[in-house]
Amino acid sequence: MAMTLASKGKKAWEALDAPWRLALELAWEAYRSGTMPEAAVVVDGRNRIVGRARNHVFDDNGTVGLSRSVLSHAVVNALASLDAYERHEDLTVYATLEPCALCLGAASAATVGAVRFAAPDAYSGSAGLTVLSPHALRRPLVVEGPLPGPFGVLAGVLNLELYLRVNPDGHVVAAHRQYDPELLARAEAVRDSGLLTAAKAKSLPLAGVVHRLWKHLV
């Protein structure tokens, strides 16, 4: 019997690499908390998760990092606990959104080796930013992304659906309308479906939401 779209979504979620799965779960947690739905996970050279954080611009953070600050981006918070006396070139950051200039600067300052991002950010994404300082040139930061397939789309949809509801005439939506209309159309379809707001009201985990969204992601 052929698999349904929902069944394919469940299977794909279970097969997704652990760092991406955790990062998306944290982004969903941020969404449910009313702040920007973006998150980051830090992995060492043996593929062990050694750090994790989400955005806390509009809510409180009970752990290391900033709270209710414009600087409280996920990558910044995820890197804040790294040992200042060590270099961290074997670490890789998995970020749900393309890092902005602040997050790229934080990754460079923290001396991590690479940043991988799931969804492009047509508004503030800065993956192409080049820094030519001696510090940056000593060990150039590798930036990779976006993540191909439905989960890259999911990361972008989580972010955009929120902006479509709370600030549909703002600069973030306008930038995507101009530079990434396909992702915007998917986010609009998810907004109109009410799936995310209903899942938030029921406090569903992301694993219980992915298969419901699958038709909008593939």
Side-chain angles (χ1 to χ4, degrees):
M1 181 181 296
M3 292 180 65
T4 64
L5 275 178
S7 297
K8 290 180 179 179
K10 288 182 179 180
K11 186 174 181 179
W13 175 254
E14 292 168 358
L16 185 63
D17 289 346
W20 284 128
R21 196 163 60 243
L22 177 56
L24 287 166
E25 287 170 345
L26 289 169
W28 174 235
E29 179 183 301
Y31 179 101
R32 290 187 287 117
S33 297
T35 192
M36 299 171 186
E38 51 114 10
V41 169
V42 185
V43 174
D44 69 11
R46 297 171 63 182
N47 208 36
R48 298 176 301 186
I49 294 172
V50 297
R52 65 191 74 186
R54 62 172 176 85
N55 184 287
H56 285 281
V57 169
F58 295 114
D59 73 340
D60 292 324
N61 182 359
T63 58
V64 66
L66 302 165
S67 297
R68 298 187 184 276
S69 164
V70 294
L71 301 180
S72 192
H73 293 200
V75 171
V76 175
N77 289 330
L79 297 174
S81 62
L82 294 183
D83 189 339
Y85 292 95
E86 301 289 338
R87 291 187 63 84
H88 304 286
E89 295 168 355
D90 67 328
L91 300 186
T92 298
V93 178
Y94 287 73
T96 58
L97 284 184
E98 180 181 353
C100 65
L102 170 66
C103 292
L104 277 180
S108 178
T111 69
V112 300
V115 175
R116 296 174 181 167
F117 65 91
D121 183 352
Y123 178 65
S124 60
S126 301
L129 183 66
T130 300
V131 180
L132 300 178
S133 68
H135 169 82
L137 292 173
R138 178 182 174 191
R139 178 62 165 80
L141 178 67
V142 176
V143 182
E144 302 172 341
L147 177 68
F151 294 111
V153 176
L154 174 59
V157 164
L158 280 177
N159 180 57
L160 268 181
E161 193 270 355
L162 176 69
Y163 281 99
L164 282 166
R165 286 190 295 102
V166 303
N167 193 14
D169 299 319
H171 295 292
V172 173
V173 172
H176 284 82
R177 181 169 291 112
Q178 181 175 359
Y179 299 112
D180 199 345
E182 181 180 349
L183 181 59
L184 180 62
R186 291 178 184 271
E188 287 173 332
V190 171
R191 176 202 59 188
D192 295 344
S193 74
L195 287 169
L196 288 181
T197 51
K200 175 184 176 181
K202 295 178 181 178
S203 299
L204 294 179
L206 188 58
V209 179
V210 167
H211 68 285
R212 302 167 192 245
L213 293 172
W214 201 246
K215 68 178 182 180
H216 298 293
L217 307 178
V218 296

